[in-house]
Amino acid sequence: MDFPEISWRRALFSLFGFVLLLTCLHFQNVNAERFKVICPDQPVVAVLGEDAELSCHLSPVLSAKYMEVRWFRSSFNLVVHLYENGMDQNEDQIPEYRGRTELIRNYISCGIVSLRIHNIGPDDDGSYTCFFQSDTSYDDATLELKVVRLGSILSISVNDYQDRGIRILCESAGWYPEPEVSWRQEVGQSLIPASETELQRQNGLFNIKTSLLMRTNQYGKITCNIRNTVMNQERESAISIADIFYEWVCRWMVSLSMLLMLGIILCGSLVVLVIYHLRKEKESLHTELEFRRCCSYAVNVTLDPETAHPKLILSEDRKSVRNGGTKQNLLDNPQRFDLCCCILGYESFTSGRHYWEVEVGDKTDWDLGVCKDSVSRKDRITLKPKDGYWAVIHRDGDEYWACTSLETLLHLRVRLQIVGIFLDYEGGKVSFYNADNKSHLFTFTDTFTEKLWPYFSPYLKKDDKNDGALRIRSVQDWE
């Protein structure tokens, strides 16, 4: 008669085991929802104007699909991006990030998310916190975003004699963050202290002017070096001090000797002639130095096939364009010129200084210059500054004109083979040069407020045969 007692005990043990199993499962679920948020230890580096991706994930692996995921700056309420209830909730997003953020959640079921920030600016530099919250747990982690930009090509020049020496000036614009500036001599690469270094902020970026006052030529060749310490990239430019000293000393000695000798012999009228000669020589030297300064801002320009008139034929490297005389069957788009046989460069400019050269060769008709982004692509154009064009044209084989409001005839002694174009956006200048003899042709002065594009037109008169192409020179062609 023991069987009922044995059944009762078995039932009791079974009930106890079931309760124990439920308790273990409960604690396993509680433990399963405890997590940590992990972010990269190293700062995320983003180039100014491009996109940045900030990533974080859960440990251990958990699905965050129904969790709250919040990215914020220094305060919890300074929301950069908020994901909640399975969708983005950016009503309280701080204004400077509206329309610029995107939560990449391809792997959110594994607890991995990334925040993409578009069009990175200087103010985006700093700390970001990634915060996860479930029904029972929450955690966060912080990472650093470093915004960087490499500045323009260095411009190194000589600023005449000062304080019984010559001043070497080195300039560059558009750096972020504040770069490291140094001068070095060629032998041993030892440091030379700068005489003056001027740092300016413009639109959040750093512009640098640094100079050396040289009273001897003991250093030989001097190198100006500007380095972005975050990117660990640098730009540098060198100049030969010995050549400058000998060139200037010889010129002034010859000029002074001529002045004294002619002054003694002619005592009057010839002195005036010598002074005129010295002034012309100084102007010539100034023009050459100015041209060299422009060349220091050289950029590689290519042609944009999306803007080309259907009659234009481009080379494979997009450096050369000619007028084929017959329309091609090309896809129409808002950027393409329909009535005027012209094409724009692929690169545009909204700040800084830029220089490029175009080989025109023996071509008898062409237009060159820059234009505003807002010019009409579908109507006939008028090459005037008021219509958004700053250009020089060549017509009838021997006439050159600057397209001012009433057009200005350029009186040239030689035929142009290579045209240099220099844009100083902040200075409001577009200058043209004869790159063969380094002479100045014409300068437009205006105020620029929108994006500018290099402009080209291999003009071809009706019934004329193709008389050649326009070719953009690469920087390597004149280095």
Side-chain angles (χ1 to χ4, degrees), residues 176-350:
Y176 194 87
E178 180 179 337
E180 182 183 89
V181 180
S182 63
W183 289 87
R184 300 179 184 273
Q185 59 173 311
E186 187 177 25
V187 179
Q189 292 294 300
S190 59
L191 291 170
I192 305 171
S195 301
E196 296 178 4
T197 297
E198 178 183 342
L199 201 66
Q200 294 182 341
R201 290 291 294 270
Q202 185 176 11
N203 298 326
L205 304 182
F206 292 90
N207 300 335
I208 297 94
K209 289 184 180 180
T210 180
S211 65
L212 280 177
L213 182 62
M214 310 296 298
R215 292 189 172 90
T216 68
N217 63 353
Q218 62 176 319
Y219 292 114
K221 182 176 288 188
I222 297 298
T223 299
C224 175
N225 182 285
I226 302 180
R227 186 167 73 93
N228 187 308
T229 55
V230 178
M231 301 174 71
N232 198 25
Q233 294 185 26
E234 61 187 27
R235 292 193 186 277
E236 64 179 25
S237 184
I239 191 169
S240 175
I241 301 301
D243 292 346
I244 293 173
F245 267 95
Y246 281 121
E247 178 181 348
W248 280 70
V249 170
C250 290
R251 286 190 178 189
W252 281 102
M253 287 183 65
V254 170
S255 298
L256 183 60
S257 299
M258 290 176 60
L259 176 63
L260 292 174
M261 181 176 61
L262 293 175
I264 294 172
I265 296 174
L266 301 176
C267 300
S269 60
L270 291 182
V271 172
V272 177
L273 181 62
V274 171
I275 294 175
Y276 174 77
H277 167 75
L278 291 176
R279 286 181 178 176
K280 294 296 289 184
E281 182 175 315
K282 188 174 182 178
E283 290 175 1
S284 176
L285 178 60
H286 175 76
T287 300
E288 182 174 344
L289 288 174
E290 182 68 17
F291 178 77
R292 290 182 179 180
R293 185 182 70 87
C294 293
C295 290
S296 69
Y297 294 100
V299 294
N300 276 317
V301 172
T302 54
L303 297 166
D304 184 3
E306 297 297 320
T307 66
H309 185 276
K311 288 185 180 181
L312 300 184
I313 301 175
L314 277 65
S315 61
E316 290 185 1
D317 61 0
R318 294 193 297 163
K319 287 282 190 178
S320 180
V321 60
R322 64 183 179 87
N323 193 324
T326 303
K327 282 191 174 182
Q328 306 169 81
N329 186 16
L330 299 179
L331 179 66
D332 191 21
N333 63 71
Q335 289 76 38
R336 190 178 306 283
F337 287 88
D338 288 346
L339 295 180
C340 296
C341 290
C342 51
I343 185 173
L344 302 183
Y346 186 78
E347 296 78 9
S348 62
F349 310 109
T350 56

Side-chain angles (χ1 to χ4, degrees), residues 383-384 391-393 399-411 441-444:
L383 296 180
K384 304 290 183 184
V392 166
I393 67 174
E399 290 186 350
Y400 300 85
W401 299 81
C403 295
T404 53
S405 57
L406 297 177
E407 294 194 340
T408 301
L409 179 63
L410 305 180
H411 300 281
L441 301 177
F442 189 84
T443 293
F444 290 89

Side-chain angles (χ1 to χ4, degrees), residues 12 33 38 46 62 73 81 125 128 141 143 169 186 202 216 243-244 316 334 341 381-382 416 444 478-479:
L12 182 62
E33 291 212 5
I38 308 297
L62 287 172
R73 296 298 301 262
H81 196 98
D125 191 278
Y128 291 77
L143 56 76
L169 178 66
E186 187 177 25
Q202 185 176 11
T216 68
D243 292 346
I244 293 173
E316 290 185 1
C341 290
I381 64 176
T382 304
L416 291 177
F444 290 89
W478 66 78
E479 288 184 340

